[in-house]
Amino acid sequence: MMNLPHFTIKNRFQKRPDLYQDILTPHILADVCQRITGEIEYTCTFDNSGYNKGRMAVLQYRGGVSYISFSDTESAGRNASMQSVPSALMSYYEEMRPQKQIYFYFLPSTGNHETSYFYFMYRLMLTAGVKFLNHNDFLTQPLHPFNSVEDVISARNINRERNQSNNSSYVTKSNNHVIQIFGKTYGANKYETTLFCIAFSQISTSKIELYQICEQDLKAIPQRCSNVINSLGNVKIIQTDLVMERNNFERNDSLRSPRYIYNLLARLGAKKCALCGCEIPEIIQGAHIWPVAAIKREAGITLEQKLKYATDGSNGIWLCENHHKMLDEDIITIDVSGNVRCRADMKGANKVFIDWSTTTKKLAPEIMTASFKTYLKKRYILSA
Ligand SMILES: [Zn+2]
């Protein structure tokens, strides 16, 4: 008996009355055991203390340890199903024994395992080093890890277009080859950003910056997550809260605000110049419509309100460095209908260059929201 594979499973759910032993039947455990060890015989301990974080079983055999994260049997929304995987991944990272593996196992369920969001997450898990035990029985399409961060960004963007409200964390690139992840620190998001960090550290040697966008009274990422992230080596966690942003706002006219970038990513999607369509993230910047310096000069509003305007995702568009400069120099202007105009004194070759490089003559309707128009009026000091 000593040599049989042995499962240890926390038996209780955090928020449900039923037990893991009701779901992880002998038939299922034998299948898991065989796929991992080749053995069908196993022993199992259901542990009734605490509750099961990570929807997970631990299997020990011949000095090795396997963490198995199970899919949700109640086909709940996207968050419930995917929340547990990063938690299991963290247990795996905290495991000190060198012979370790992490797996994902699909349980029978009535839900749809094959939404575009789920496929995105499976690929991210695979990239992070999670092995799938029985996906061929549940998925009709093949599963491939991501090869590069660009791969992730474009897949994320396609996924975003299908469901606008899906995203809570965003990935982009900055100059100097830095990969930036922007995430909020509440709920499932903190685990999702951890999964991003682990996946990226596997496929990229670039510097990765994780910007934690903290809400006023919410704590930063849990210590457990930050320990794992720090152990990856090439990921730097950067906290940003309103106090820090306010100090920065008071000191500088050209605001470098992670919160502003986060809000632009949430509103506009991936970096893409609104005037020429350039998508090279290293040279795309967030361009304020109502400039920071003008907001700071505005009389009769509080500092908090000013900071809100300065970091509002509606107060900006993505522009390449050329078009950002042209906008700031008023070489190009945008009217309240979204028409893009070239300054009247631009002549000859310069006018030709601007007309040629500015392929968008009218901003897309989804950019032209009411609040965006309000900022345009502020910029060009038009009365409503
Ligand atoms: Zn451009």
Side-chain angles (χ1 to χ4, degrees):
M1 287 298 283
M2 284 297 287
N3 294 325
L4 289 179
H6 183 74
F7 284 103
T8 311
I9 301 167
K10 288 266 188 189
N11 207 5
R12 298 206 323 221
F13 285 89
Q14 188 174 7
K15 290 171 186 165
R16 279 163 57 178
D18 52 339
L19 298 170
Y20 272 90
Q21 67 190 34
D22 304 327
I23 294 164
L24 300 178
T25 60
H27 175 75
I28 286 171
L29 290 180
D31 186 46
V32 171
C33 185
Q34 189 180 21
R35 287 172 192 265
I36 294 175
T37 67
E39 306 283 340
I40 300 172
E41 300 257 317
Y42 65 89
T43 54
C44 181
T45 309
F46 283 98
D47 174 4
N48 286 311
S49 69
Y51 61 89
N52 194 325
K53 294 175 190 170
R55 202 188 296 284
M56 165 178 100
V58 181
L59 179 65
Q60 297 178 72
Y61 186 53
R62 292 185 172 166
V65 57
S66 300
Y67 289 81
I68 306 108
S69 186
F70 293 92
S71 70
D72 201 349
T73 47
E74 298 187 334
S75 63
R78 53 185 281 270
N79 281 338
S81 293
M82 288 300 150
Q83 225 167 0
S84 52
V85 174
S87 179
L89 249 179
M90 276 185 285
S91 299
Y92 163 77
Y93 265 89
E94 288 159 356
E95 171 62 55
M96 300 305 286
R97 282 171 282 188
Q99 272 194 70
K100 58 180 182 178
Q101 298 289 346
I102 178 153
Y103 296 100
F104 187 76
Y105 186 90
F106 284 100
L107 293 175
S109 112
T110 51
N112 179 6
H113 290 294
E114 301 202 83
T115 66
S116 63
Y117 175 76
F118 281 155
Y119 263 104
F120 177 82
M121 293 304 282
Y122 300 149
R123 296 188 66 193
L124 206 57
M125 286 154 60
L126 208 55
T127 310
V130 179
K131 296 185 171 76
F132 283 69
L133 285 171
N134 60 344
H135 62 287
N136 289 333
D137 300 344
F138 285 84
L139 304 181
T140 53
Q141 290 169 50
L143 216 50
H144 303 293
F146 291 111
N147 294 314
S148 66
V149 175
E150 290 76 10
D151 226 9
V152 180
I153 293 173
S154 66
R156 182 72 155 174
N157 217 27
I158 291 164
N159 194 39
R160 179 185 189 273
E161 281 158 18
R162 291 194 186 138
N163 188 346
Q164 286 274 345
S165 63
N166 247 355
N167 292 346
S168 49
S169 49
Y170 302 94
V171 183
T172 186
K173 284 174 80 180
S174 180
N175 46 12
N176 302 319
H177 307 285
V178 175
I179 297 158
Q180 296 181 323
I181 304 168
F182 295 84
K184 293 209 170 179
T185 53
Y186 59 82
N189 305 337
K190 56 182 179 278
Y191 297 111
E192 192 181 79
T193 53
T194 308
L195 183 56
F196 271 117
C197 290
I198 294 172
F200 288 165
S201 74
Q202 303 296 314
I203 48 174
S204 176
T205 52
S206 297
K207 255 173 49 185
I208 300 165
E209 294 174 344
L210 169 60
Y211 287 91
Q212 294 287 321
I213 312 293
C214 301
E215 298 305 308
Q216 260 156 335
D217 50 353
L218 281 163
K219 278 195 246 101
I221 193 165
Q223 190 62 42
R224 197 171 169 224
C225 297
S226 56
N227 287 346
V228 169
I229 291 169
N230 286 327
S231 77
L232 298 170
N234 58 339
V235 185
K236 187 175 170 197
I237 302 176
I238 300 165
Q239 300 292 353
T240 171
D241 58 38
L242 284 171
V243 176
M244 288 163 61
E245 299 233 9
R246 190 173 58 207
N247 292 340
N248 182 356
F249 178 73
E250 285 184 296
R251 280 196 306 270
N252 303 304
D253 275 357
S254 60
L255 184 68
R256 285 176 58 88
S257 160
R259 188 175 304 267
Y260 181 55
I261 301 299
Y262 178 94
N263 290 338
L264 287 176
L265 287 165
R267 184 172 106 87
L268 302 168
K271 290 179 177 178
K272 181 177 184 177
C273 179
L275 297 182
C276 69
C278 171
E279 296 183 61
I280 304 165
E282 290 90 334
I283 61 165
I284 307 291
Q285 305 169 329
H288 279 90
I289 297 300
W290 189 15
V292 172
I295 294 172
K296 289 171 82 165
R297 285 194 304 269
E298 184 82 353
I301 55 173
T302 64
L303 184 62
E304 266 65 33
Q305 284 171 311
K306 290 180 180 182
L307 185 59
K308 195 167 158 288
Y309 292 133
T311 58
D312 185 356
S314 294
N315 183 16
I317 43 177
W318 295 127
L319 290 179
C320 68
E321 292 190 9
N322 264 359
H323 279 117
H324 194 173
K325 192 70 179 167
M326 287 189 218
L327 186 77
D328 283 353
E329 296 290 336
D330 287 327
I331 292 166
I332 275 176
T333 57
I334 300 165
D335 74 15
V336 283
S337 302
N339 296 304
V340 180
R341 298 184 196 287
C342 182
R343 200 169 71 199
D345 65 348
M346 285 290 134
K347 298 261 159 52
N350 290 352
K351 172 98 168 68
V352 169
F353 175 79
I354 293 165
D355 283 344
W356 167 80
S357 66
T358 309
T359 51
T360 303
K361 311 297 181 195
K362 185 172 179 129
L363 292 186
E366 56 268 28
I367 294 178
M368 299 298 299
T369 58
S371 50
F372 183 79
K373 287 178 188 174
T374 308
Y375 287 116
L376 277 174
K377 287 172 189 164
K378 286 283 189 186
R379 180 183 187 96
Y380 298 115
I381 323 180
L382 301 164
S383 56

